[in-house]
Amino acid sequence: MRCLFLLIFFFPGQALAALVLSPPAVDSGGVALLRWEGASPSLAVARFNERVIYLSPTGSGAAALLGTDVELPAGDYPITLAVVDRGGGTSFHRTTLVVRSSSRPVERLTLPEAMVEPVDPDVLERIGSEHRMLTELFGRQDRPALWKTFSLPVSDPVSSSFGLRRILNGKPRSPHSGVDFRSPRGTPIRAAAEGIAVFTGDLYYTGNTVVLDHGEGLYTLYAHLDTVDCRTGERLEAGAALGRVGSSGRSTGPHLHWGGKLRGDRIDPLALVKLFGELGEEKP
């Protein structure tokens, strides 16, 4: 059964309108869909977690995805929505997204020390340059939404879940910001949704990597590939082959690391699959 939070409004001379948040509560790293259902507005703008988010027009109103970073503290996060109708009138509406704390296990890994604490100046310069490039890339939100649904990139079991607290060579590191699949080397990897390949190449930590831009600040990342089978700038349909599983970069063996970013927040890509599965819609 789908969980959602529904506020219904009535404006004189207009049909009923509703502000829908589904789901109304998520774990840190989770994703929710905010929808304005009613006459299509000329503008709908939300403020959430100190961000301004523009809702995209849909066939029955407007909608936007809301993401919560893996390290976002638990609490009640208010959402304010301003809706400008076709006649120029403005209305304001409020709801709340509850972010739950979640107890996540610890994962201990042993890796070559150079992959955990690099000291070579050239390597450190490379890592810094790649970090700046990715930060800039994930900050772009100028592409319209391309996603219609989300599916798994491989069908193999999950070997390391999102948000694990990682201890590398005995030293605490940032939580695991993606999902690892126990996939054999050479397994074809599919695009989880329609998107543009905005990066294809080799990175120090993630090895052969593909980043897809799905629009409105939503990205998915596919790491440690053996081969990359798409080009930067290429538009991929959902389910299109983009590469094959490998063990490049910081890796202890063949697997696929699949990550998600929404307006810079590290989100659980499995939350996207779950959300769109529950909505049961082609596009909100």
Side-chain angles (χ1 to χ4, degrees), residues 16-283:
L16 285 176
L19 179 61
V20 182
L21 180 64
S22 53
V26 298
D27 293 334
S28 56
V31 180
L33 182 69
L34 182 70
R35 288 181 290 176
W36 174 255
E37 295 188 341
S40 181
S42 61
L43 181 67
V45 184
R47 178 173 288 276
F48 167 71
N49 194 24
E50 301 183 352
R51 285 197 175 99
V52 173
I53 299 169
Y54 291 88
L55 279 66
S56 295
T58 68
S60 58
L65 289 169
L66 306 180
T68 63
D69 188 76
V70 63
E71 294 187 283
L72 184 68
D76 294 349
Y77 288 81
I79 301 167
T80 302
L81 178 69
V83 179
V84 180
D85 63 32
R86 296 293 178 179
T90 303
S91 58
F92 296 90
H93 316 280
R94 291 174 177 82
T95 186
T96 300
L97 179 63
V98 177
V99 177
R100 301 175 296 230
S101 60
S102 93
S103 177
R104 290 177 168 131
V106 174
E107 182 179 53
R108 300 178 185 275
L109 296 173
T110 300
L111 298 168
E113 192 61 29
M115 280 295 186
V116 179
E117 292 284 357
V119 294
D120 184 293
D122 291 338
V123 171
L124 293 174
E125 181 179 354
R126 176 186 176 185
I127 292 170
S129 175
E130 291 175 353
H131 176 74
R132 291 189 294 273
M133 179 272 294
L134 290 173
T135 299
E136 179 182 355
L137 187 155
F138 290 135
R140 297 172 186 165
Q141 304 175 34
D142 51 352
R143 196 182 305 277
L146 300 176
W147 35 264
K148 299 178 179 67
T149 186
F150 268 83
S151 58
L152 296 173
V154 293
S155 58
D156 304 295
V158 171
S159 59
S160 185
S161 58
F162 178 84
L164 285 174
R165 294 175 294 143
R166 288 194 146 173
I167 309 294
L168 302 184
N169 295 2
K171 301 167 186 175
R173 287 295 183 266
S174 299
H176 190 215
S177 59
V179 178
D180 290 348
F181 294 90
R182 192 183 298 111
S183 300
R185 185 184 300 274
T187 301
I189 303 166
R190 308 292 178 183
E194 184 176 351
I196 307 294
V198 290
F199 178 84
T200 58
D202 177 55
L203 299 173
Y204 182 78
Y205 283 121
T206 56
N208 294 326
T209 302
V210 173
V211 177
L212 298 184
D213 180 355
H214 304 288
E216 295 186 344
L218 177 62
Y219 296 83
T220 52
L221 177 147
Y222 308 76
H224 307 301
L225 277 58
D226 187 45
T227 61
V228 172
D229 300 327
C230 60
R231 303 180 306 277
T232 300
E234 184 177 352
R235 183 166 182 153
L236 301 179
E237 298 296 326
L242 59 81
R244 292 183 179 271
V245 170
S247 185
S248 55
R250 186 168 74 178
S251 172
T252 57
H255 71 287
L256 171 65
H257 172 89
W258 185 38
K261 285 285 188 81
L262 179 54
R263 303 182 190 95
D265 288 328
R266 298 163 293 176
I267 60 169
D268 183 354
L270 293 181
L272 289 167
V273 177
K274 183 174 185 291
L275 174 63
F276 278 82
E278 290 178 347
L279 290 171
E281 299 174 348
E282 278 294 298
K283 185 174 181 180

